[in-house]
Amino acid sequence: MILAVNQPYFLPYIGYWQLIHAADLFLIGDDYQYRKGGWISRNRILVRGRPVWFCVEKKNTGSLQMCNEMYMSQINRRKKLNLLYDAYHKAPYYEEGLRLAEDILDCEETVLSEYLLHSIRTICAYLGITTPIGRTSDYPENSRYRREYRIYDLCRRTGADTYINLIGGTALYDFAEFRERGITLQFLKADQITYRQSGQTFVPNLSILDVIMFNSREEIISMLDRFSLITEPQA
């Protein structure tokens, strides 16, 4: 059984969805610490050929908060939809992207992690990704562990013999240490996926919304398998 765990991100890039698609079980790290300046509550869309932040508002509840301890502020729905119109109203699949964005923005969840979980499940449903999605907080006492020991515990409790992480986490985990515990460690590296955008120069790794606006559902589904798995240390 293949397990993947990641912090809940707001409308992340295509590699995040490839990770969910590749796993037999995906867990959002809802009791992981919120990282200011990361991708949990923001991503980038393309406005007139340049990347612009597209964010969800949250209440400032202090430092060292877990994602499931943070609460949403009221979302300015009209402002965000106007920004999406400005960015994508000429895109070929604007109507599909707009419907998804409206569904996500209309979510009434007040806990940040639950709001993000809803957005993740909404995009997965659109892309036909059927991987079960849960929360790390569904496993009591897992939060007492740190770093890779949290993963070892989750693999043991879910029966996973393989753990997949996005390629950006190669410095976090050691192949040999996972192997000693009977777990195969793999890192997912997305292919260089390009498509026609509104600007003259392609901007990679934008929000999945950008992918949806410019590509058909069938084209995006085909992108989900366009990755390689790193199974040993790279020289």
Side-chain angles (χ1 to χ4, degrees), residues 93-197:
Y93 300 97
Y94 170 70
E95 295 298 333
E96 290 89 335
L98 179 64
R99 283 195 292 271
L100 288 170
E102 288 176 332
D103 189 353
I104 290 166
L105 294 174
D106 288 344
C107 176
E108 296 182 355
E109 291 286 355
T110 57
V111 176
L112 177 62
S113 61
E114 291 301 303
Y115 180 90
L116 295 173
L117 179 58
H118 166 76
S119 70
I120 291 168
R121 286 174 169 164
T122 298
I123 298 296
C124 281
Y126 176 74
L127 297 180
I129 299 173
T130 59
T131 305
I133 301 175
R135 310 166 183 82
T136 51
S137 65
D138 294 336
Y139 299 86
E141 304 302 319
N142 176 257
S143 60
R144 68 190 178 95
Y145 296 102
R146 292 292 178 267
R147 291 174 59 93
E148 64 268 33
Y149 293 96
R150 292 199 73 169
I151 303 304
Y152 301 154
D153 178 63
L154 289 170
C155 286
R156 178 183 61 82
R157 295 167 74 173
T158 61
D161 56 9
T162 301
Y163 178 72
I164 300 182
N165 200 82
L166 289 172
I167 192 66
T170 50
L172 297 176
Y173 305 126
D174 183 86
F175 286 97
E177 291 181 1
F178 271 73
R179 195 177 303 115
E180 288 175 0
R181 291 165 172 80
I183 305 168
T184 298
L185 174 63
Q186 300 177 338
F187 291 97
L188 185 149
K189 182 179 180 180
D191 293 351
Q192 290 185 346
I193 295 173
T194 62
Y195 49 89
R196 186 171 182 177
Q197 294 173 324

Side-chain angles (χ1 to χ4, degrees), residues 204-220:
N205 300 328
L206 296 177
S207 166
I208 190 65
L209 275 184
D210 189 80
V211 184
I212 290 170
M213 295 291 186
F214 290 110
N215 298 272
S216 70
R217 181 175 179 270
E218 292 70 26
E219 287 171 328
I220 304 171

